[in-house]
Amino acid sequence: MREILGRRRRLLSRRRDRKPEQIGAALTFATEWQWPVLPGVAPDPQGRARCGCPDPECTVPGAHPFDPGLLAATTDERMVRWWWTNRPSAPIVLATGGTAPCAVSLPALAASRALAALDRKGMRLGPVVAGPHRWAILVAPYSMEQLGELLYAQDFVPGSLRFHGEGGYLALPPSETGHGQIRWERAPLPGSASPWVPDVEAVVDAAVEALTRKGVSAPEL
C-alpha cells in the first residue's frame, strides 16, 4: 500500500511540476518579452504522432492553433494565465510577425550546418528553436516585399526552407508536440528583456547555402 501511495505522490508531483513550467514560460514570452502567444491544439491522446484537430492528415500535430484561433494570440497576463491554468500542458504557440519575431526554419541537419556557417562568419545569432525534425532561427520582423526581394536574388530556393512571418506561428519551448519535444538549440539569455534577433538577410543566405550544398538532400518535413 505504501508503494502505491508513493507512486501516486510522484505522479502528482510530476504533474504539478509540469504546470508551472508551461505557464511560467508562456507568461515570460507574453508579459516580459511582449510576444503574443496562445495555446496550441494538443496531440491526439490515442496516438501522439496524430493531432487533436479534425484534420486526419495534419502535418504539424499539436504544434498549431485551433481553438482559439491564431487571431486570439495575446500578451495579456490574465488571459495567458487563464489559458494555461485550464490547459497546463498545452503547447505554447507564438504568433509571428508584427511586434514579435519572425523565423526561418529548415530541416535539423541543414540547420546545424547553417548555424556553423554563421558562427564562422562571426555573425551574432539570437534564439534558435529546435524540434526533432526542424529548427527555426528567430529573426527580426520582415515584410513580404522584403522577403520577396531576398528570395528573388537567390538562384534557387529549396522547398524545405520555410518562413514564419506575419500571420504565421511557431511552437516554443518547452512545448510537447506530436513530433516530440520543442527545446532551445540557442537559448535566450536568462533574465534578459525581449531577446535580440538578427535581420533576415544573412540568415536566408546561410540557410539556402546549407540546403543547396553538393551532396545535401533535405527532406520536405
Side-chain angles (χ1 to χ4, degrees), residues 32-76:
E32 295 183 26
W33 298 354
Q34 292 297 296
W35 292 3
V37 298
L38 75 164
V41 61
D44 189 334
Q46 302 301 317
R48 294 197 65 80
R50 296 181 298 179
C51 192
C53 74
D55 183 1
E57 299 180 358
C58 180
T59 58
V60 283
H64 67 90
F66 175 64
D67 184 17
L70 185 62
L71 291 178
T74 184
T75 59
D76 181 75

Side-chain angles (χ1 to χ4, degrees), residues 24-214:
L27 286 169
T28 294
F29 300 143
T31 64
E32 295 183 26
W33 298 354
Q34 292 297 296
W35 292 3
V37 298
L38 75 164
V41 61
D44 189 334
Q46 302 301 317
R48 294 197 65 80
R50 296 181 298 179
C51 192
C53 74
D55 183 1
E57 299 180 358
C58 180
T59 58
V60 283
H64 67 90
F66 175 64
D67 184 17
L70 185 62
L71 291 178
T74 184
T75 59
D76 181 75
E77 179 180 353
R78 290 176 298 176
M79 192 74 247
V80 171
R81 195 178 294 278
W82 186 85
W83 275 333
W84 272 276
T85 297
N86 288 279
R87 298 165 60 180
S89 60
I92 304 170
V93 175
L94 168 70
T96 54
T99 59
C102 295
V104 177
S105 72
L106 57 164
L109 179 58
S112 67
R113 290 173 177 153
L115 292 188
L118 290 168
D119 287 341
R120 285 193 297 271
K121 293 177 180 177
M123 180 178 170
R124 181 185 176 193
L125 284 174
V128 178
V129 176
H133 305 301
R134 296 185 69 85
W135 293 4
I137 304 171
L138 298 189
V139 298
Y142 54 77
S143 66
M144 291 304 295
E145 292 78 12
Q146 182 183 7
L147 180 62
E149 291 176 3
L150 286 173
L151 299 182
Y152 183 77
Q154 301 291 334
D155 293 330
F156 173 69
V157 179
S160 55
L161 185 62
R162 296 179 188 163
F163 300 91
H164 307 258
E166 185 75 33
Y169 58 85
L170 183 71
L172 294 176
S175 301
E176 180 77 25
T177 73
H179 286 157
Q181 184 72 39
I182 305 297
R183 60 179 178 83
W184 294 113
E185 174 63 24
R186 302 278 178 96
L189 294 176
S192 64
S194 183
W196 178 90
V197 290
D199 289 334
V200 69
E201 289 88 347
V203 172
V204 167
D205 289 341
V208 170
E209 181 181 354
L211 287 168
T212 54
R213 186 179 305 167
K214 186 177 181 181

